[in-house]
Amino acid sequence: MKKTIAIQGIQGSNHHKVAQAYFGDEVQLDECLSFDALVHSLMHGKCNYAIMALENTIAGSIIPNYALIDANNIHINGEYYLNIHHHLMALPNQTIQDITEVCSHPMALLQCKEFFKQYPQIKLVEDVDTAAVAQKIEQQQLKGIAAIATKTAAELFNLEILSGEIQTIKTNATRFVILQKEKPTNGIDQIDKASLRFELDHKRGSLATILNVMSDCKLNLTKIQSLPIIETPWKYAFFVDVTFESYENYTKAISILEIMTTSLKVLGTYKNQRNS
Amino acid sequence: MKKTIAIQGIQGSNHHKVAQAYFGDEVQLDECLSFDALVHSLMHGKCNYAIMALENTIAGSIIPNYALIDANNIHINGEYYLNIHHHLMALPNQTIQDITEVCSHPMALLQCKEFFKQYPQIKLVEDVDTAAVAQKIEQQQLKGIAAIATKTAAELFNLEILSGEIQTIKTNATRFVILQKEKPTNGIDQIDKASLRFELDHKRGSLATILNVMSDCKLNLTKIQSLPIIETPWKYAFFVDVTFESYENYTKAISILEIMTTSLKVLGTYKNQRNS
């Protein structure tokens, strides 16, 4: 039986690209038009895995997505880095001067903001998905409106690329995570990275002490992000990613962190994709 | 002579609120319709100070704004925390069912996303400023379009509030910073917080060592954020905020960090507004 993979967006979106790269072509897609819908699909057993963008080099961490993973106790089972390429596309036989409105996902609009400075007449409109706009332009034969989407979307929906590679930063890698509802049962030899969340009191040196433990246990920090906890002044939550060579060292660190932090949660243990 | 304060947005915006709270009413406003324009105003001497939103509890850090401060070598001279209240407003004598489009700043749309789930017929459109949309609705007498903005904006532009306090998280504090071009000359007794940026090689324990130094010098960490440096794989930049009681301890820490980190930059030293 084919696996069902929930993606944010439709066929031709960047999430679809990640699904293909990670799981191959032999999958069923569950196309979700928001990250909330994506999580809903996963929690209600409508898919085996869900793919979610988690951070990129321009906007940093997508904090609301961290909150979704945390609140629903979802597990991270893997990661994938994709270089994002944004192309401006519209119905054939139009020039960029004919375009008055560009609709796309907020993150795509943000990542192409510099490009549109030279076209002040173009209105930027948020939509739920990059590829869904391309589809809508074809279905409704919308003139004067352009989408920002992938080359695949242009091909799928018979649009013409007006300008290619319009993203501000040309090496715009986005990190996606592969999510599942149940705790993954990856073999220990497949695991060399972990995502953690913990809380600390606002006491001088509390984070330094934790990082010392990690360092002593030979964990490498690849990401750290503090977030104030809204309901609890002077308490902070930290999202931390670590890589390691020995799983034994990792479990040793975790057993110490469980004592030294509050509400320690392992969001997932998986294979580091950056080295593979 | 009145001071000129550059704000993102126009009269009635949240940046305007911060300008009033921080500098009082006796100021001249330079209304900028983007953060880029705000920085341009500051760099070209069109204002004495600029006010910029830097982080909030939903979206986390506004990473592109950190990049603007860093790239232009601007100085942080102070900070201000504002609880953001978003209200939905339109021309009088309309109900929420008459509304087909809501235009606002991307951050305001994000912060009210939950509210609009119950109104799928409403299209969310990005605009440059919360208050500017309210102004446009009045000037052009636009029916069917609503703004998300402050109560002040509703009063200024004669709009009716259709629904109040529509932000998802009710205690939605946003941190603003006061920026200036020249290095501030705050008295030492006025300084108990600093914003730093530094780079570290991806070597195990490198961040722990730095935090140990900070802790030994009695600095309290209030924010930490790692960012990969795009052009340099395996090198990380860190944005860190610290508070302290003794300025002498702070300068001691800085002199050690200058040796132990790469490209240490003090983005600003100022008065911690959270305690005052």
Side-chain angles (χ1 to χ4, degrees), chain B residues 42 45 50 59 67 85-86 166 170-171 178 202 204 212 216 226 238 268 271:
Chain B
L42 191 64
H85 303 275
H86 290 304
I166 64 168
K170 297 307 167 194
T171 50
I178 319 309
H202 185 59
R204 192 167 57 236
N212 287 336
D216 290 347
S226 68
F238 295 88
K271 182 87 190 139

Side-chain angles (χ1 to χ4, degrees), chain A residues 34-143:
Chain A
S34 72
F35 286 117
D36 292 318
L38 183 87
V39 168
H40 189 269
S41 167
L42 191 65
M43 298 310 289
H44 290 77
K46 289 172 62 194
C47 63
N48 303 97
Y49 300 95
I51 292 172
M52 179 188 264
L54 204 52
E55 49 189 318
N56 65 55
T57 31
I58 297 177
S61 300
I62 306 172
I63 305 282
N65 284 359
Y66 275 93
L68 278 174
I69 294 175
D70 188 24
N72 292 284
N73 297 309
I74 301 171
H75 301 275
I76 300 177
N77 186 30
E79 63 174 4
Y80 193 84
Y81 288 85
L82 183 74
N83 276 317
I84 303 282
H85 303 276
H86 290 305
H87 308 283
L88 188 71
M89 57 193 71
L91 287 177
N93 304 318
Q94 294 181 103
T95 68
I96 202 160
Q97 277 68 35
D98 299 324
I99 303 303
T100 56
E101 192 172 306
V102 168
C103 305
S104 198
H105 191 269
M107 204 51 82
L109 294 172
L110 182 68
Q111 291 172 349
C112 301
K113 168 178 102 148
E114 289 298 318
F115 173 83
F116 289 106
K117 278 192 182 162
Q118 49 187 317
Y119 304 105
Q121 83 279 9
I122 295 180
K123 185 169 158 189
L124 302 179
V125 180
E126 279 196 17
D127 213 313
V128 287
D129 179 44
T130 54
V133 173
Q135 188 186 43
K136 193 171 72 179
I137 289 175
E138 190 203 23
Q139 283 175 348
Q140 304 180 17
Q141 289 288 304
L142 298 172
K143 287 196 176 157

Side-chain angles (χ1 to χ4, degrees), chain A residues 34-36 55-64 68 101 103 106 109-110 113-114 117 123-127 136 169 171-172 202-209 211-212 214-228 230-231 234 236 238 243 272 274-275, chain B residues 34-36 55-64 68 101 103 106 109-110 113-114 117 123-127 136 169 171-172 202-209 211-212 214-228 230-231 234 236 238 243 272 274-275:
Chain A
S34 72
F35 286 117
D36 292 318
E55 49 189 318
N56 65 55
T57 31
I58 297 177
S61 300
I62 306 172
I63 305 282
L68 278 174
E101 192 172 306
C103 305
L109 294 172
L110 182 68
K113 168 178 102 148
E114 289 298 318
K117 278 192 182 162
K123 185 169 158 189
L124 302 179
V125 180
E126 279 196 17
D127 213 313
K136 193 171 72 179
I169 296 184
T171 49
N172 175 22
H202 185 59
K203 224 168 64 185
R204 193 168 54 235
S206 56
L207 180 61
T209 310
L211 296 193
N212 287 336
M214 292 182 177
S215 174
D216 290 347
C217 293
K218 299 189 172 149
L219 307 188
N220 292 300
L221 199 71
T222 63
K223 183 228 158 78
I224 183 166
Q225 162 97 44
S226 68
L227 265 191
I230 301 164
E231 306 79 21
W234 305 116
Y236 286 80
F238 294 88
T243 60
N272 176 13
R274 266 274 150 106
N275 280 337
Chain B
S34 71
F35 287 118
D36 291 318
E55 50 190 318
N56 65 56
T57 31
I58 297 178
S61 299
I62 306 171
I63 305 282
L68 278 174
E101 192 173 307
C103 306
L109 293 172
L110 182 69
K113 157 180 110 145
E114 288 299 317
K117 277 192 183 164
K123 185 169 158 189
L124 302 180
V125 180
E126 280 197 13
D127 214 314
K136 191 170 71 177
I169 297 183
T171 50
N172 176 22
H202 185 59
K203 224 168 62 185
R204 192 167 57 236
S206 56
L207 181 60
T209 309
L211 296 193
N212 287 336
M214 291 183 178
S215 174
D216 290 347
C217 293
K218 300 189 172 150
L219 307 188
N220 292 299
L221 198 70
T222 63
K223 182 229 162 77
I224 182 164
Q225 162 97 42
S226 68
L227 263 193
I230 301 163
E231 306 79 22
W234 306 115
Y236 286 80
F238 295 88
T243 60
N272 177 12
R274 266 274 149 106
N275 279 337

Side-chain angles (χ1 to χ4, degrees), chain B residues 90-101 121-122 143-146 162:
Chain B
L91 287 178
N93 304 318
Q94 294 181 104
T95 70
I96 201 161
Q97 278 69 35
D98 300 324
I99 303 302
T100 56
E101 192 173 307
Q121 83 280 8
I122 296 181
K143 286 195 177 158
I145 297 186
L162 295 175

